[in-house]
Amino acid sequence: MSSSNALPPLFDEFPPISDEEWTAKIEADLDTTTPNEVLRWDSIDGISLPAYLRRDDREPIPHVPTEGATSPLVSTETVPSNNWRIRQDLWHSNLETAKALGEKALRNGVTDLGLIIDPNAEALGLPLETPGDVATLLQDLPLDASALHLERGSGALALLSAGRSRTDESILEGNRRGTVSYDPVAALATGALSDIESAFDFTDALLSSLSTSSLRAVSLDLRPYHDAGASAVQELAFGLGALTETLARLHERTRSLDDVLPHLHVQTSVSTSYFIEIAKLRALRLLVPQVLEAFADETGSPIETSPADLFVQAETSRRTETLYDPYVNMLRGTTEAMAAVVGGCDVLNVRSYNACFDAPTTFSSRIARNVQLILGHEAHFDVVADPAAGAYYVEQATDRLAERAWERFQTLEADGGILSALRQGGLQSDIAQVRKNRRQDVESRDRVLVGTNHYPDLQETRLDDVQSGNPSCNNGTDKQSPLPSPSLGRLQEWIENGWTIPELAKGLAAGSASIQPLPRLRLAEPIDALRLRTERYAKDEGSPPTVLLAPLGPTGPRSARATFARNVLGVAGFEIIEPLMFDSVDAAADEAVDSNAEIVVLCSANEAYANLTPALRQALEKRNRSPLLVVAGNPENLKSGLPADEFIHSGRPLYDTLTTFQQRLGIPLDDGAPTA
């Protein structure tokens, strides 16, 4: 559409405002001559955006449609709808419970089920051992209009082999719109497989065995990089590197792009960085076709593909989940689900709020699927395809992410490709640096995880949940994989010769690995472990350490610092006694005796500490008490020589502060407490 035919202004009575006027207004309101420096946001994901954006900022972006045109990221066949499919994963350790959860899900709005056997996870997986178990799980489920997704890596191969060994192969072979989540590079990067050639042989075998099936069997899985802590730029770049490697290896095995494209699907995690995650999914649709077209040109096999052709599955992030205050995970999952839907996913799985420490329950499964049902039926996110199209901020973020990811991908290829980076450890090292930055932000409270490193529920305990948890049904095996030439037919033979599905999944990983596996983390794990140590100590000693807050002096400072101290020390799981105020140091000392406090935190104004601190120390000593005396304030702003044992303030890293307190209280830092 030409500019002369552009849509008219919505409100003619509002005159346009120039850049100069906007800048002058911002400078006046913020009292600054550098609004971009003040307002610019530098993301850990590797992009930054200016203080504000205008219509003209869209014009140079190649993928942005002209006004009134359809977004290139969506198919004209689906416009104007945004009908993503609702997926729910089954991984309960009790087969009958898992089956009941699947039946309930399919009766209540779920369109897709995920079956999980994950030999690399700590406590994750269905108790499927034989082909009969697979049939028992799936029989009587209303699957005619549903899709099954087999997870993940070697677990997906084992599940598929078990399903195909039955006479009723149609359970899996007729699985419309289903997927096999087997990405050879992801399998190598996570340690699910150890032999490089075998990893790609299996993809070739999948294409041979499923050539006439509607199952999508070529997976590009970005989740291992996300789970390890990667930035959005790294996720995209490493995903493109994995796709390039897979295409090249399949080409060596005489596979054409025409063989691969009908089976290609992408899987990605979506985190809480709302606009960045929307942009990530949109950038993914732009970048994958570029790789496919470049490979087509290089191999002389022309294809026609577009961003809208890409089949994208998204799931909410495990990385952002917290063990403590887990109901907040519902809110995180909602934000992530919204980003996935606005970003244009085809299938979405919202993880249960309790997934990081327990199997899904009827309640947690219901809440997870209702998030998606509400987004569609009540929030009407299903009405408009690519609702972010044309939004200045999102379009800029999409363009920046795509540019940065493409540059990183080109560097990766120039350095020898993704397998070289994995073998040499460079990829792991790059992700580790971002992971370190993420965790430092959490441990210093620069990034707040509500209920975990800020605003803790002082009465909450989770030790029993972690200890009972969902028992892993994949208990390992000593069997070694004897086949030099993997094929699905040979895997079926193993199943028929008595190997269980978990044994087969783990057996595929047997051998000497040349790649250090990527870790799978949650950002809250160090803080969770810290509080679990206190819980373990409390279980052994009969109660947690007691902290008495001692608000004295001027009203404003004492109240603010008491609240700060509660939020800091409560994160460690200490018992907090928090009176509104004390009239005197003697009253505070008497309460310390009555409560048997092991820590007393003096909360007051900076100028009052010079008198109050020694007075409180003397009052405690007079009563033969020597708890840790803590001052809520930065010692750099206070009179030197205060008789305090510790200081707490916003400039002191949270994690280091609390581990120091645990050590001083005699709480073992290496006591074998579970770390979730």
Side-chain angles (χ1 to χ4, degrees):
M1 181 181 293
S2 67
S3 57
S4 60
N5 294 325
L7 296 175
L10 189 58
F11 301 109
D12 289 331
E13 60 267 32
F14 293 103
I17 301 175
S18 68
D19 285 347
E20 291 75 18
E21 289 174 292
W22 270 117
T23 301
K25 178 63 174 172
I26 293 171
E27 289 176 353
D29 287 352
L30 297 181
D31 192 23
T32 178
T33 58
T34 56
N36 272 326
E37 292 298 319
V38 174
L39 297 178
R40 187 184 65 193
W41 177 56
D42 294 313
S43 166
I44 199 171
D45 295 292
I47 66 168
S48 62
L49 291 171
Y52 63 93
L53 296 162
R54 293 170 60 82
R55 180 191 299 268
D56 291 345
D57 294 312
R58 291 187 326 172
E59 302 307 321
I61 301 177
H63 74 268
V64 174
T66 56
E67 288 190 36
T70 300
S71 167
L73 303 185
V74 296
S75 169
T76 55
E77 297 176 1
T78 62
V79 172
S81 64
N82 183 21
N83 292 324
W84 74 95
R85 297 180 63 82
I86 299 175
R87 169 175 161 175
Q88 194 149 57
D89 285 351
L90 302 180
W91 52 273
H92 201 285
S93 60
N94 181 282
L95 188 59
E96 289 304 314
T97 301
K99 183 178 178 69
L101 289 171
E103 290 172 345
K104 183 164 288 189
L106 291 173
R107 288 197 306 267
N108 289 279
V110 167
T111 61
D112 296 37
L113 292 177
L115 309 184
I116 298 180
I117 295 288
D118 190 349
N120 294 312
E122 58 277 0
L124 196 66
L126 288 162
L128 302 176
E129 297 200 353
T130 67
D133 290 338
V134 179
T136 297
L137 175 67
L138 298 182
Q139 68 185 9
D140 302 325
L141 287 180
L143 297 173
D144 291 344
S146 305
L148 290 176
H149 304 278
L150 310 185
E151 293 276 354
R152 59 163 96 173
S154 58
L157 294 176
L159 272 173
L160 182 63
S161 301
R164 286 168 55 85
S165 71
R166 301 283 297 181
T167 55
D168 52 349
E169 291 183 8
S170 60
I171 289 177
L172 295 179
E173 297 300 314
N175 179 15
R176 298 192 301 274
R177 295 178 295 275
T179 60
V180 179
S181 175
Y182 175 73
D183 174 347
V185 177
L188 293 166
T190 58
L193 270 78
S194 57
D195 183 74
I196 290 175
E197 291 303 320
S198 295
F200 293 97
D201 284 343
F202 274 122
T203 301
D204 185 55
L206 283 169
L207 287 173
S208 294
S209 300
L210 302 175
S211 59
T212 60
S213 170
S214 57
L215 272 174
R216 293 179 181 266
V218 180
S219 171
L220 174 59
D221 195 348
L222 277 60
R223 294 173 297 178
Y225 317 112
H226 179 94
D227 289 345
S231 69
V233 168
Q234 288 174 327
E235 288 180 50
L236 292 169
F238 298 153
L240 298 180
L243 176 60
T244 300
E245 190 70 38
T246 299
L247 293 175
R249 297 279 181 158
L250 290 176
H251 184 68
E252 292 172 0
R253 290 161 174 77
T254 70
R255 293 290 176 186
S256 69
L257 278 176
D258 288 335
D259 297 327
V260 173
L261 289 185
H263 289 272
L264 181 63
H265 62 106
V266 182
Q267 293 171 285
T268 184
S269 295
V270 179
S271 185
T272 51
S273 296
Y274 186 65
F275 291 109
I276 295 298
E277 294 298 321
I278 293 171
K280 183 178 76 177
L281 265 66
R282 301 175 84 249
L284 182 65
R285 287 196 180 275
L286 295 172
L287 293 172
V288 169
Q290 287 185 227
V291 171
L292 295 174
E293 290 165 7
F295 189 83
D297 291 341
E298 186 175 327
T299 58
S301 51
I303 58 166
E304 289 187 10
T305 186
S306 72
D309 295 331
L310 194 63
F311 187 82
V312 177
Q313 292 199 73
E315 73 175 12
T316 56
S317 174
R318 178 184 184 274
R319 191 174 75 192
T320 62
E321 292 171 350
T322 60
L323 172 64
Y324 287 91
D325 210 351
Y327 296 114
V328 180
N329 292 330
M330 297 180 189
L331 306 179
R332 297 184 183 107
T334 300
T335 299
E336 293 163 352
M338 289 168 60
V341 170
V342 175
C345 68
D346 296 290
V347 178
L348 173 60
N349 173 45
V350 175
R351 287 169 54 88
S352 300
Y353 75 89
N354 61 335
C356 71
F357 64 88
D358 202 0
T361 62
T362 300
F363 175 71
S364 66
S365 297
R366 181 169 181 263
I367 292 297
R369 64 175 171 266
N370 279 353
V371 167
Q372 299 200 56
L373 293 173
I374 288 173
L375 288 180
H377 293 293
E378 297 191 30
H380 308 297
F381 276 54
D382 60 346
V383 173
V384 179
D386 196 10
Y392 306 159
Y393 188 94
V394 175
E395 294 291 21
Q396 280 280 354
T398 301
D399 188 57
R400 297 282 177 87
L401 268 180
E403 283 186 355
R404 291 293 303 278
W406 190 258
E407 290 170 2
R408 182 67 184 87
F409 163 63
Q410 289 178 313
T411 301
L412 181 71
E413 290 298 295
D415 290 341
I418 193 167
L419 289 184
S420 175
L422 284 167
R423 284 193 297 259
Q424 295 174 16
L427 185 148
Q428 294 92 326
S429 178
D430 288 349
I431 293 179
Q433 184 56 56
V434 179
R435 179 169 69 247
K436 179 181 178 182
N437 294 339
R438 289 189 190 280
R439 282 199 154 154
Q440 283 178 341
D441 286 346
V442 170
E443 292 168 18
S444 65
R445 218 154 55 165
D446 287 337
R447 174 173 179 179
V448 171
L449 296 176
V450 174
T452 297
N453 69 346
H454 210 336
Y455 312 114
D457 178 352
L458 301 182
Q459 308 306 316
E460 184 178 17
T461 59
R462 289 292 163 193
L463 184 62
D464 291 342
D465 291 328
V466 173
Q467 290 177 331
S468 60
N470 179 44
S472 174
C473 52
N474 304 326
N475 294 318
T477 177
D478 294 327
K479 294 183 179 181
Q480 300 293 309
S481 169
L483 292 181
S485 282
S487 70
L488 290 184
R490 300 300 292 273
L491 293 186
Q492 288 173 225
E493 289 178 16
W494 292 351
I495 290 287
E496 290 162 3
N497 288 334
W499 284 56
T500 67
I501 295 172
E503 285 174 344
L504 183 56
K506 278 191 173 288
L508 291 171
S512 57
S514 60
I515 292 172
Q516 179 66 34
L518 290 169
R520 194 169 185 226
L521 64 87
R522 290 183 301 106
L523 293 177
E525 279 173 342
I527 304 294
D528 287 344
L530 185 149
R531 187 160 177 178
L532 286 169
R533 286 198 293 266
T534 301
E535 282 200 51
R536 173 63 61 86
Y537 175 84
K539 187 174 184 180
D540 293 340
E541 299 295 325
S543 65
T546 300
V547 176
L548 171 66
L549 305 184
L552 288 157
T555 303
R558 79 179 181 223
S559 177
R561 282 178 162 162
T563 300
F564 172 78
R566 176 198 184 278
N567 280 329
V568 168
L569 297 175
V571 165
F574 300 150
E575 181 179 346
I576 311 289
I577 299 174
E578 43 184 338
L580 291 177
M581 62 170 290
F582 287 110
D583 294 328
S584 66
V585 292
D586 285 322
D590 288 339
E591 180 61 30
V593 173
D594 293 342
S595 62
N596 198 25
E598 294 167 75
I599 299 174
V600 176
V601 185
L602 181 55
C603 307
S604 191
N606 284 354
E607 60 273 14
Y609 283 135
N611 294 324
L612 289 175
T613 309
L616 183 55
R617 172 68 79 188
Q618 290 171 8
L620 290 167
E621 289 175 351
K622 189 180 296 185
R623 290 161 177 78
N624 296 317
R625 293 288 175 171
S626 55
L628 287 177
L629 181 55
V630 180
V631 168
N634 191 331
E636 295 181 359
N637 302 325
L638 305 176
K639 180 181 177 181
S640 62
L642 291 180
D645 298 304
E646 293 285 349
F647 296 84
I648 57 172
H649 53 90
S650 59
R652 185 176 179 183
L654 176 73
Y655 184 78
D656 292 343
T657 300
L658 296 180
T659 52
T660 297
F661 276 55
Q662 286 184 324
Q663 287 176 303
R664 298 196 65 158
L665 292 169
I667 298 176
L669 301 188
D670 188 21
D671 62 354
T675 57

